Amino acid sequence: MSGPIYNAVRRSQGSQASTAVGSQPSPTASTFSDPKAANYLTKADLRAGTKHRKRFAIVTSVFFFIAVVMLILVQIGNLSNNHVLGDLYFFKIDTTNIILADPGTNSKLQQSIAESSGLHDFYQVGMWNFCEGYNDVGITACSRPALMYWFNPVQIILDELLNGRQVTLPADVSSYLTVIRAASHVMFVMFFASTFTSFLLIFLCPLAVYSRLVSIPIALFALISGLMTFIAAAISTGMWLVLKKDIIANAADINIVPSIGAKLFVLMWIAAGCSLFAALGQVGMMCCGTSRRDIKTGRRPVGRKARNEGGVPVEENPALRRRWWGSVSQ
């Protein structure tokens, strides 16, 4: 009977060994849901620890999205004679009430204006072209959109008001046109570049949830984009305000009335404000807010890690994987 008893004992030991091996916990989601599994991160831990940083990253993306929409409206303004785009312009010259205010002042120029033909009631400027029209019918024609377009009011006067005739202009007027051309080119480049960078940042900002190191290049990129939008808006505002003041000072005798496109300026500064706010938010995320890397390296305790007095670095549940917007999935 020793043989059978020996075999029975062997089978019992093997059964116990297999039971012991089989009883070891496997790295599944159910194991990590056990509160006693102190050295593992769960989906809830990561969500709870990074929720504020994640929300702020999404807010910055939303602000960049708003900036992109506003910048697109700024760039497509005045491209068409429809009611919406036709009301979006930088600058407008109203020649409806043009008169010979004083026959004794600048008589040659006034005589040329009086004899001219093809005069429209207004001329308005966008980023790509200018349009002309009459007050009773609206915009009648627009120039062809041109890359790096700049508004030359003197040339329009020569072509439209004076019917192509030549007029000798003062030296200060010619020098100011050079300033307008240079400022318009800088404004054009910055508006176009800021639109492109703001669009990219809509998708880059959420990546700041993962690490502060990732936040550094994103924050610098966002700051450059925000500054470009602000500088473009500032150049545009200053240029058109100075031009308005100059026309009022020098064209009062022929009764040309300049005005600023308030609607487009509002859109432009909304874009600048949203870009700067989002950029400053990303700069703040370089030092503030708990990232995923902070939790996994133990620099910011969260969940079970916060309950560990031994300070052992936690491990991420291998059943969890990263997903877009900083969340995880099983």
Side-chain angles (χ1 to χ4, degrees):
M1 293 180 64
S2 59
I5 294 175
Y6 173 79
N7 291 335
V9 172
R10 295 283 295 182
R11 285 196 298 271
S12 177
Q13 291 177 349
S15 176
Q16 292 177 358
S18 61
T19 303
V21 172
S23 63
Q24 293 181 356
S26 59
T28 61
S30 60
T31 301
F32 294 107
S33 62
D34 184 3
K36 295 181 180 180
N39 291 335
Y40 286 95
L41 286 174
T42 64
K43 185 176 180 180
D45 291 337
L46 291 175
R47 282 182 173 177
T50 61
K51 64 179 181 179
H52 298 297
R53 188 178 183 89
K54 174 183 175 182
R55 290 172 182 174
F56 206 77
I58 294 176
V59 168
T60 57
S61 292
V62 171
F63 273 92
F64 274 120
F65 175 79
I66 296 174
V68 168
V69 174
M70 298 297 106
L71 288 171
I72 291 176
L73 290 176
V74 168
Q75 295 187 50
I76 66 176
N78 205 60
L79 281 177
S80 175
N81 60 354
N82 64 62
H83 179 69
V84 177
L85 297 182
D87 288 340
L88 300 178
Y89 56 86
F90 285 113
F91 192 74
K92 185 176 183 178
I93 296 177
D94 190 349
T95 59
T96 303
N97 300 318
I98 188 169
I99 58 174
L100 301 179
D102 185 2
T105 303
N106 201 5
S107 59
K108 291 184 178 180
L109 177 61
Q110 292 178 2
Q111 183 178 4
S112 298
I113 295 175
E115 295 175 353
S116 64
S117 60
L119 180 65
H120 291 78
D121 290 343
F122 63 86
Y123 301 87
Q124 62 185 40
V125 188
M127 189 169 173
W128 298 83
N129 62 346
F130 81 94
C131 296
E132 59 190 13
Y134 300 96
N135 294 330
D136 54 346
V137 297
I139 297 175
T140 57
C142 294
S143 63
R144 180 176 298 179
L147 191 66
M148 305 292 286
Y149 173 78
W150 67 284
F151 178 56
N152 188 345
V154 174
Q155 190 63 43
I156 292 178
I157 292 176
L158 293 176
D159 293 341
E160 299 287 337
L161 300 180
L162 302 181
N163 200 19
R165 299 181 182 181
Q166 298 296 324
V167 175
T168 302
L169 300 173
D172 56 345
V173 175
S174 300
S175 61
Y176 185 69
L177 291 179
T178 303
V179 174
I180 292 179
R181 180 172 58 184
S184 297
H185 289 171
V186 174
M187 178 190 70
F188 188 97
V189 172
M190 286 196 171
F191 269 134
F192 191 81
S194 62
T195 303
F196 178 73
T197 55
S198 297
F199 177 78
L200 292 180
L201 284 164
I202 295 174
F203 307 99
L204 292 177
C205 285
L207 298 179
V209 175
Y210 292 106
S211 171
R212 296 176 192 270
L213 295 177
V214 177
S215 294
I216 295 176
I218 295 177
L220 295 177
F221 190 48
L223 190 60
I224 292 173
S225 178
L227 288 176
M228 285 194 301
T229 309
F230 177 80
I231 293 174
I235 290 176
S236 177
T237 303
M239 179 179 65
W240 298 119
L241 288 178
V242 170
L243 180 60
K244 177 183 177 181
K245 180 180 179 181
D246 186 72
I247 291 178
I248 292 175
N250 298 297
D253 55 343
I254 56 177
N255 205 19
I256 294 179
V257 181
S259 61
I260 300 294
K263 293 180 180 180
L264 190 142
F265 272 67
V266 169
L267 298 178
M268 180 175 62
W269 281 105
I270 289 177
C274 290
S275 296
L276 282 179
F277 178 83
L280 293 177
Q282 285 294 319
V283 171
M285 292 177 68
M286 294 170 57
C287 61
C288 303
T290 303
S291 67
R292 288 173 56 102
R293 188 170 182 271
D294 290 335
I295 297 175
K296 291 194 289 185
T297 56
R299 286 181 295 186
R300 295 291 180 91
V302 64
R304 297 177 178 82
K305 176 64 174 64
R307 295 191 291 269
N308 285 347
E309 296 180 357
V312 181
V314 285
E315 302 176 15
E316 185 178 6
N317 184 341
L320 304 179
R321 294 294 181 264
R322 293 180 181 178
R323 192 171 55 190
W324 189 243
W325 304 109
S327 61
V328 292
S329 61
Q330 293 182 348

